[in-house]
Amino acid sequence: AQSVTQPDIHITVSEGASLELRCNYSYGATPYLFWYVQSPGQGLQLLLKYFSGDTLVQGIKGFEAEFKRSQSSFNLRKPSVHWSDAAEYFCAVGAPGGSYIPTFGRGTSLIVHP
Amino acid sequence: GAGVSQSPSNKVTEKGKDVELRCDPISGHTALYWYRQRLGQGLEFLIYFQGNSAPDKSGLPSDRFSAERTGGSVSTLTIQRTQQEDSAVYLCASSLEASGATGELFFGEGSRLTVL
């Protein structure tokens, strides 16, 4: 079974600073990897996803993530954070084939200071 | 509608009462998921429907929880004899395919359940 760890419960950054949110997964092969964002009072929205190929993937809102097989990681990055990026971020892993039920991490809450 | 619709958005109930939560997925999406999000927690998988196949109920926490999906579209999650630990946001998501070819789940805004 797959699992996801997001080691940081909260991250605080200043507006304009760079951001990296950590995600580690456990799965026997190469999984499908996702980052979702949940703004207050809203449902989850997909930021980006990795299936195969180029290990650096670009997403919406200026986010990117890098798949590192050797570290079983899929960290989310943004070079310059905006106040509107304050939200809850979830990393998720899906196992290709069969019953497709993505597993989500516990989330990282991003706080942005002006 | 354009997105996944859930109702009610908020539900306050007394301990021991039954509640029903509704999810209307995106038209044409064959896969439907229910997740639970407790305060400060991640998403906990509850149940998964794919087309006409038998649902995967492996995430339901107790026999007080049940769900059905009628006509391959609308789904209802029922919680009987609610307990305070059932308080959470219940999220519904749908997906175009279950094979993971696209992998993206489309989420509703959730139903916030408070059990007094």
Side-chain angles (χ1 to χ4, degrees), chain B residues 15 35 38 45 94 101 103 116:
Chain B
K15 178 181 174 181
Y35 285 86
R38 288 171 162 159
F45 165 72
S94 68
L116 301 177

Side-chain angles (χ1 to χ4, degrees), chain A residues 37 39 45 47 59-64 78 80 84-85 89:
Chain A
V37 60
S39 298
Q45 179 187 19
L47 281 176
I60 62 171
K61 304 184 180 185
F63 286 91
E64 67 177 27
K78 187 170 185 178
S80 178
S84 61
D85 292 325
Y89 291 81

Side-chain angles (χ1 to χ4, degrees), chain B residues 11 13-20 78-82:
Chain B
K11 176 71 175 179
T13 190
E14 294 180 348
K15 178 181 174 181
K17 300 286 189 182
D18 297 351
V19 296
E20 286 189 351
T78 301
I79 308 173
Q80 296 179 311
R81 305 181 301 282
T82 52

Side-chain angles (χ1 to χ4, degrees), chain A residues 101-102 104, chain B residues 6 21 32-38 43-49 55-62 65-67 77-79 86 88-92:
Chain A
I101 302 173
F104 287 78
Chain B
Q6 291 188 245
L21 307 176
L32 187 147
Y33 305 77
W34 283 98
Y35 285 86
R36 177 169 70 176
Q37 185 179 22
R38 288 171 162 159
L43 276 66
E44 175 187 4
F45 165 72
L46 296 178
I47 189 168
Y48 158 70
F49 296 89
D56 184 328
K57 305 178 181 181
S58 60
L60 294 178
S62 77
F65 288 72
S66 62
L77 177 69
T78 301
I79 308 173
D86 299 334
V89 176
Y90 290 82
L91 293 167
C92 177

Side-chain angles (χ1 to χ4, degrees), chain B residues 3-8 20-26 31-34 68-70 73-77 90-94 106-108 111:
Chain B
V4 177
S5 178
Q6 291 188 245
S7 62
E20 286 189 351
L21 307 176
R22 175 189 168 102
C23 173
D24 198 345
I26 294 172
L32 187 147
Y33 305 77
W34 283 98
E68 63 177 18
R69 188 179 185 190
T70 54
S73 180
V74 172
S75 176
T76 302
L77 177 69
Y90 290 82
L91 293 167
C92 177
S94 68
F106 294 82
F107 283 85
S111 292

Side-chain angles (χ1 to χ4, degrees), chain A residues 32 36 38 43 49 51 90 100 102, chain B residues 33 35 37 98 100-102 105 108:
Chain A
Y32 298 154
Y36 286 83
Q38 184 181 34
K49 59 187 176 185
F51 284 175
F90 292 92
Y100 181 69
Chain B
Y33 305 77
Y35 285 86
Q37 185 179 22
T102 62
L105 269 59

Side-chain angles (χ1 to χ4, degrees), chain A residues 21-40:
Chain A
L21 302 182
R22 296 183 291 167
C23 172
N24 293 95
Y25 69 89
S26 175
Y27 182 64
T30 300
Y32 298 154
L33 295 162
F34 309 86
W35 277 98
Y36 286 83
V37 60
Q38 184 181 34
S39 298

